């Protein structure tokens, strides 16, 4: 009985403190203690942000999405108390929205979300990352040209010598942000 309890405790603690790597079992982070989720080193895939046809009224800080309230002038935005434009340029996402739902379904339950890094969270989102010491490691590519068919709302980190930067695809163009010197 004692061995069973110890085994169960080790299994539970391993799952609570384990690293989430999406796409393989290696990932790209050299220090696995600093990241919650990370992605396989495929060099040709990104993370797809959610789109909205109506901006949320009271989003949680840190929310990132494609604002398609005007499909002819869609922009990637994040919320830090107010909406901040990350695109810097408009995109026509009319064609991309054709396959997306147009009617709001029944309201989602507050518990209808996946939380990584905590047991619970009051943040509103489909995927919630909660940690005081860990962050998400974006998919890494050496060049956005390695992505054969970028999807609208795609986000990657470009790890190119002399040009390391965040890149977001808004359905028409890539927008790039380099770290401040």
């Amino acid at each position: 009985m004692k061995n069973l309890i110890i085994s169960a405790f080790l299994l539970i603690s391993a799952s609570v403190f384990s690293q989430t790597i999406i796409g393989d079992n290696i990932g790209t982070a050299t220090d696995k203690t600093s990241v919650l989720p990370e992605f396989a080193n495929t060099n040709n895939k990104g993370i797809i942000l959610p789109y909205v046809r109506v901006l949320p009224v009271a989003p949680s800080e840190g929310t990132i999405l494609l604002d398609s309230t005007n499909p002819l002038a869609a922009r990637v935005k994040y919320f830090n108390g107010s909406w901040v434009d990350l695109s810097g340029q408009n995109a026509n996402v009319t064609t991309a929205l054709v396959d997306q739902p147009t009617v709001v379904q029944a309201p989602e339950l507050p518990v209808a979300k996946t939380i990584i890094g905590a047991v619970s969270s009051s943040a509103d989102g489909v995927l919630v990352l909660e940690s005081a010491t860990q962050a998400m490691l974006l998919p890494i590519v050496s060049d956005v040209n390695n992505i054969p068919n970028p999807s609208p709302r795609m986000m990657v980190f470009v790890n190119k010598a002399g040009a390391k930067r965040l890149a977001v695809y808004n359905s028409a163009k890539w927008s790039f942000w380099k770290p401040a010197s």
Side-chain angles (χ1 to χ4, degrees), residues 35-156:
V35 293
L36 286 172
E38 67 174 301
F39 299 88
N41 190 13
T42 62
N43 197 33
N44 65 357
K45 293 185 170 133
I47 187 169
I48 305 299
L49 301 171
Y51 80 93
V52 295
R53 294 179 191 264
V54 176
L55 280 175
V57 177
S60 298
E61 287 193 23
T63 297
I64 302 174
L65 51 74
L66 179 74
D67 175 4
S68 61
T69 54
N70 177 355
L72 300 173
R75 292 189 174 226
V76 174
K77 295 182 177 179
Y78 82 95
F79 188 78
N80 69 351
S82 63
W83 287 107
V84 177
D85 176 23
L86 290 179
S87 294
Q89 52 194 346
N90 291 335
N92 181 346
V93 296
T94 308
T95 304
L97 292 177
V98 168
D99 296 331
Q100 303 299 325
T102 57
V103 229
V104 176
Q105 303 296 323
E108 292 180 6
L109 299 172
V111 294
K113 59 186 165 190
T114 298
I115 302 168
I116 298 175
V119 175
S120 65
S121 173
S122 61
D124 186 22
V126 172
L127 174 63
V128 178
L129 308 176
E130 288 274 344
S131 176
T133 60
Q134 297 175 311
M136 178 177 72
L137 182 61
L138 290 172
I140 298 173
V141 299
S142 57
D143 193 313
V144 294
N145 294 319
N146 292 345
I147 303 170
N149 296 308
S151 297
R153 313 176 321 257
M154 183 174 282
M155 180 183 283
V156 297

Side-chain angles (χ1 to χ4, degrees), residues 10 17 22 28 48 50 59 74 92 131 148 152 161:
L10 289 174
F17 298 107
I22 300 168
T28 54
I48 305 299
N92 181 346
S131 176

